[in-house]
Amino acid sequence: RVLAAIEQAKESVKAQFASLREDHEHMLQLALNEAEALAWQTTYPHLLFATLAVEKVQAVDTWAVRQNAVRDGRSLAALAA
């Protein structure tokens, strides 16, 4: 039951960040794996996983945006605006 809840949350996060799957599938999977590993270190992994996963995947999304900006030659100051 706990595993099913984690898998369901994982699929939900993947759907929420579907744009990352196109170019950064590996980074997305690493973030989810890290979130799951952290969640399993707690008493209630099924309750904490979703929050940890979103936080980790948001960091990957921020990194991807920054990487695209650098690749396209845009200044990082323009991203902050």
Side-chain angles (χ1 to χ4, degrees):
R1 195 169 91 131
V2 172
L3 287 174
I6 289 175
E7 284 304 314
Q8 183 179 9
K10 194 179 293 187
E11 292 305 315
S12 176
V13 172
K14 283 182 180 180
Q16 184 180 350
F17 292 91
S19 62
L20 278 178
R21 294 183 79 179
E22 296 171 16
D23 296 328
H24 303 290
E25 175 73 29
H26 184 68
M27 295 292 289
L28 174 64
Q29 192 58 51
L30 288 174
L32 291 172
N33 289 349
E34 185 176 349
E36 186 172 358
L38 289 170
W40 279 111
Q41 292 177 21
T42 70
T43 307
Y44 304 104
H46 59 295
L47 298 178
L48 297 173
F49 172 74
T51 302
L52 290 168
V54 168
E55 182 179 300
K56 296 288 183 185
V57 174
Q58 282 176 336
V60 171
D61 188 46
T62 300
W63 172 84
V65 168
R66 195 174 320 122
Q67 289 299 107
N68 287 336
V70 170
R71 189 176 307 118
D72 295 343
R74 290 180 279 153
S75 100
L76 294 178
L79 289 175

